[in-house]
Amino acid sequence: MLQNNLLGILIPFAGTTLAAADFFIPAMPYLLSFAAGAMLYVVVEELIPEMSEGEHSDIGVLSFALGFTLMMALDVALG
């Protein structure tokens, strides 16, 4: 009996979440691209220690981002 009541309490939250999903589906590619970019930044800045050494650590990260962007553009252009 208690389990049924607890399940009944959660149903409106699930319905609200599903209704919000309809709003986010068109924006999903942009949200996922932002998440992927943030993950690449974290990987380059934190997991590759040579790029964050020294006083100008942004140069290595920006160089990586520029090289990655160039390679992706070439991949799309040359297919």
Side-chain angles (χ1 to χ4, degrees), residues 9-24:
I9 292 171
L10 293 177
I11 287 175
F13 296 114
T16 307
T17 304
L18 290 175
D22 287 338
F23 176 73
F24 286 112

Side-chain angles (χ1 to χ4, degrees), residues 1-58:
M1 182 77 170
L2 178 64
Q3 293 172 348
N4 291 336
N5 290 337
L6 291 176
L7 182 62
I9 292 171
L10 293 177
I11 287 175
F13 296 114
T16 307
T17 304
L18 290 175
D22 287 338
F23 176 73
F24 286 112
I25 286 176
M28 194 62 71
Y30 303 107
L31 296 172
L32 290 174
S33 325
F34 179 76
M39 189 65 200
L40 277 175
Y41 175 78
V42 168
V43 166
V44 169
E45 186 69 28
E46 299 294 330
L47 297 180
I48 304 175
E50 291 84 14
M51 284 196 175
S52 61
E53 288 179 355
E55 58 188 54
H56 300 292
S57 66
D58 293 337

